[in-house]
Amino acid sequence: WHGRTLGQAVISRRWSGWLRLHSVPANQIIETFWNGAIDAQRSIPSSVPRPRLLAYHDWTDQQWAYRAELHQSVSVRPVARHAVLTTDPHLPSAWWFALRSALDDIAVVPTDRVTLHEGFLAWAMPHYLGTHIHDHASDSWTTAHGDLHYANLCGPHLSILDWEGWGIAPDGYDAAMLHSYSLLVPTVAARVRDQFAGLFGTSTGRFAELAVITELLHTTTYGENLELAAPLRQRAALLLGRTVPVVHRRPAGY
């Protein structure tokens, strides 16, 4: 993925697992992402369904650092091959309730890891939404998975993959992220809003959505999530009560 991670199923006579290899220039290691799986194994409660980290190994080769992580294999498949949902997967009610319970358990995990920085939002919101963080900021920040999309969620029995970027984010960040990745399938977006009805429509949920929309619009300027650009702006316009600017290139300064 983006030239820095590889993953492959591995099988021996006794067990099967999933091997993930990370690579990064040795002087560019970002500890939050580099240690995400290890920190999750230590801190995320067992009530949150996920493959466990069994072992890891670090080494360097000239200017590059590498980490190999061996995870448990899971018998269920990701809900989608890509982050952006394009068809309704028709997930059972039990799956949605399990997800809600898992996110509740994640939210109360104490950590000093940071998923989303306020400084980024202070810079990016004016560029992508034409608004300022201090107009919407919530004092409620909780622990989040940080990359909750349909390629990181397995079904029909829930298992949550990829704990690289978990940490502190606006309350409701994970639900807002999932909703944004559902916008191309209105029935699923409606299901997310229904399942997290206590969040959407509140000031806390509104801020979480605007934060996620800002972040995802930022990725479109790198050529990612392009199919979401228009739906994200439409959702932001609904939340803000006005149109939002169209940014085709990443603004300078961050």
Side-chain angles (χ1 to χ4, degrees):
W1 183 78
H2 282 204
R4 68 181 187 87
T5 65
L6 294 170
Q8 179 65 51
V10 292
I11 301 173
S12 77
R13 293 180 179 179
R14 299 178 182 177
W15 49 264
S16 62
W18 182 266
L19 184 66
R20 186 175 186 184
L21 174 64
H22 305 249
S23 63
V24 67
N27 62 349
Q28 295 180 24
I29 293 176
I30 300 175
E31 296 292 336
T32 296
F33 296 105
W34 191 249
N35 295 322
I38 296 171
D39 292 343
Q41 182 62 29
R42 293 170 178 166
S43 302
I44 300 297
S46 59
S47 60
V48 177
R50 68 191 191 280
R52 300 302 191 265
L53 176 65
L54 302 175
Y56 66 94
H57 176 69
D58 294 335
W59 73 99
T60 58
D61 178 10
Q62 297 181 0
Q63 302 301 314
W64 287 83
Y66 297 90
R67 171 169 289 166
E69 298 171 352
L70 181 63
H71 297 264
Q72 285 179 325
S73 61
V74 294
S75 60
V76 286
R77 303 282 295 176
V79 171
R81 293 184 62 186
H82 304 287
V84 181
L85 196 67
T86 57
T87 60
D88 191 334
H90 300 289
L91 294 162
S93 295
W95 187 93
W96 289 101
F97 287 118
L99 178 63
R100 177 61 183 266
S101 178
L103 297 189
D104 287 344
D105 289 348
I106 294 168
V108 296
V109 173
T111 185
D112 58 1
R113 295 171 52 84
V114 179
T115 290
L116 185 63
H117 291 268
E118 288 189 63
F120 167 76
L121 292 178
W123 168 83
M125 275 189 168
H127 287 291
Y128 295 104
L129 300 185
T131 189
H132 295 274
I133 186 173
H134 59 74
D135 294 330
H136 313 282
S138 168
D139 292 331
S140 181
W141 290 60
T142 58
T143 302
H145 171 272
D147 195 18
L148 201 75
H149 57 66
Y150 293 94
N152 282 339
L153 293 168
C154 296
H157 303 293
L158 177 67
S159 187
I160 305 176
L161 310 177
D162 192 2
W163 291 84
E164 186 179 57
W166 73 278
I168 297 298
D171 189 10
Y173 179 86
D174 281 338
M177 180 73 73
L178 197 64
H179 182 263
S180 289
Y181 278 120
S182 306
L183 289 175
L184 298 184
V185 188
T187 55
V188 181
R191 183 62 189 264
V192 176
R193 293 194 300 272
D194 179 68
Q195 192 64 43
F196 298 92
L199 173 72
F200 291 93
T202 68
S203 59
T204 297
R206 183 170 179 265
F207 177 61
E209 277 203 82
L210 291 174
V212 166
I213 290 170
T214 298
E215 192 173 14
L216 292 182
L217 285 176
H218 181 60
T219 70
T220 66
T221 62
Y222 289 93
E224 299 177 16
N225 301 313
L226 294 178
E227 63 271 54
L228 283 181
L232 287 170
R233 287 194 296 269
Q234 291 169 5
R235 182 65 183 176
L238 179 64
L239 295 171
L240 294 170
R242 56 169 175 75
T243 58
V244 298
V246 177
V247 179
H248 295 292
R249 294 184 179 180
R250 178 171 57 93
Y254 195 92

